[in-house]
Amino acid sequence: MSNNLKHHLATAVAFAFLIAWYYGLQQLGFLDYMTGLMNEEYQGAGLMLGIGFGMAPAFFIWSRFNRWVEKKLQIKGSYYEDSYYKNDQKK
């Protein structure tokens, strides 16, 4: 199996993890809790904040997993943030 296909499969698994995390938040009642903290006219904003706060750890885990897979499969490439911080280190 080629590294490209392995990478695509790992990305699909990681995306399924993100979906499962979201449904976990929903099943635990976290999103309902966040909307309940807001006034009735701001419940949509509460939902968006809940999604943002709740999904932040999942996206961090997803990014670390993606980097780990790329390192294991020896996939070369550059990231926007790498070039940004490299320029910062030169100063």
Side-chain angles (χ1 to χ4, degrees), residues 2-82:
S2 72
N3 276 354
N4 201 16
L5 183 58
K6 289 177 186 177
H7 182 257
H8 288 334
L9 289 174
T11 302
V13 168
F15 189 67
F17 163 75
L18 289 176
I19 293 169
W21 187 282
Y22 175 80
Y23 282 114
L25 286 175
Q26 198 172 25
Q27 291 298 318
L28 290 173
F30 180 74
L31 300 177
D32 292 333
Y33 171 74
M34 289 298 287
T35 56
L37 292 175
M38 302 292 182
N39 292 336
E40 188 172 327
E41 64 262 10
Y42 297 114
Q43 285 185 345
L47 178 61
M48 291 303 293
L49 285 172
I51 292 170
F53 289 144
M55 290 301 291
F59 279 112
F60 178 75
I61 293 167
W62 177 78
S63 70
R64 297 296 96 201
F65 174 75
N66 194 32
R67 291 278 182 115
W68 176 78
V69 166
E70 289 173 353
K71 186 177 180 182
K72 282 291 191 186
L73 296 176
Q74 298 176 346
I75 294 175
K76 305 287 188 224
S78 62
Y79 295 93
Y80 175 76
E81 63 267 18
D82 290 343

